[in-house]
């Protein structure tokens, strides 16, 4: 990691390179930016996951370990035909530099507010599609009784996913 200029409130952005093959390597590039002169970008809100379960992603052509949950998020949100410019804390902040981490944490609200949109990764699908389909159905066309399957899917998606228990979500999505 090249040092950031704290005086200009620099932060790093990530180019998530495209691939039409779901299982191909995750390839990324990073570049510095400032809030005053940055391209449109998206911010990723997710749960890091178990720090002991890591997998490599390609960062500037070299292997860089990230948690399995982050790798899955990048795999699912990667586009097939164009790059995605993103801010992803685990990659865009030098996690071994305490001074940088402290400075970047103080900028996180501005970073999230400056994003064109915040992409929320709740995890792999499981029964989430059942819950989301239910809420996409107009209210007047839903069955009167909520089935046990739909109820369980909604509970799993909205109450049992670790993302909902994170303190940071208010800053990241509101």
């Amino acid at each position: 990691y090249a040092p950031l200029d704290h005086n200009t409130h620099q932060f790093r952005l990530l180019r998530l390179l495209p691939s039409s093959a779901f299982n191909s390597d995750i390839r990324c590039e990073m570049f510095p930016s400032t809030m005053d002169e940055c391209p449109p970008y998206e911010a990723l809100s997710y749960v890091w996951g178990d720090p002991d379960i890591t997998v490599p992603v390609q960062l500037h052509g070299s292997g860089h370990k990230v948690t399995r949950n982050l790798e899955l998020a990048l795999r699912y949100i990667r586009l097939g035909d164009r790059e995605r410019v993103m801010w992803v804390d685990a990659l865009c902040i030098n996690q071994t530099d305490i001074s940088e981490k402290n400075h970047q944490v103080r900028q996180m609200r501005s970073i999230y507010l400056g994003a064109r949109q915040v992409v929320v990764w709740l995890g792999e699908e499981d029964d989430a599609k059942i819950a989301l389909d239910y809420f996409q159905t107009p209210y007047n066309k839903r069955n009167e009784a909520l089935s046990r399957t739909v109820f369980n899917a909604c509970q799993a998606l909205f109450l049992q996913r670790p993302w909902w228990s994170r303190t940071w979500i208010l800053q990241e999505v509101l």
Side-chain angles (χ1 to χ4, degrees), residues 2-154:
L4 294 173
D5 182 352
H6 296 316
N7 295 324
T8 61
H9 303 286
Q10 255 188 344
F11 65 108
R12 293 182 193 88
L13 288 172
L14 183 79
R15 273 190 205 91
L16 177 57
L17 301 177
S19 177
S20 56
F22 181 79
N23 289 320
S24 69
D25 288 348
I26 301 296
R27 296 178 307 112
C28 308
E29 299 170 348
M30 264 192 310
F31 61 96
S33 190
T34 65
M35 293 308 293
D36 296 331
E37 299 177 13
C38 64
Y41 68 93
E42 301 168 293
L44 181 63
S45 177
Y46 66 106
V47 173
W48 278 38
D50 188 334
D52 295 325
I53 301 174
T54 61
V55 293
V57 297
Q58 295 297 310
L59 185 58
H60 295 289
S62 298
H64 186 89
K65 290 188 178 199
V66 298
T67 62
R68 175 73 176 137
N69 196 51
L70 175 54
E71 187 266 345
L72 279 172
L74 295 173
R75 186 169 300 287
Y76 275 93
I77 66 173
R78 171 176 56 183
L79 301 175
D81 59 345
R82 64 188 185 282
E83 70 184 27
R84 217 169 172 167
V85 177
M86 305 199 74
W87 184 82
V88 179
D89 60 354
L91 289 166
C92 295
I93 298 173
N94 182 351
Q95 299 298 321
T96 62
D97 183 335
I98 301 301
S99 173
E100 177 176 313
K101 275 177 35 176
N102 290 338
H103 187 265
Q104 293 297 295
V105 165
R106 286 192 301 273
Q107 290 193 139
M108 283 174 68
R109 179 168 169 73
S110 296
I111 291 170
Y112 277 99
L113 285 172
R116 183 172 54 82
Q117 72 178 2
V118 175
V119 176
V120 175
W121 171 251
L122 296 176
E124 288 191 279
E125 187 177 300
D126 298 322
D127 289 337
K129 185 169 180 3
I130 295 169
L132 295 174
D133 286 348
Y134 175 78
F135 286 107
Q136 288 179 340
T137 304
Y139 180 75
N140 61 349
K141 296 194 179 193
R142 293 182 194 158
N143 293 335
E144 191 147 321
L146 187 65
S147 75
R148 174 59 60 188
T149 302
V150 172
F151 177 80
N152 290 342
C154 291

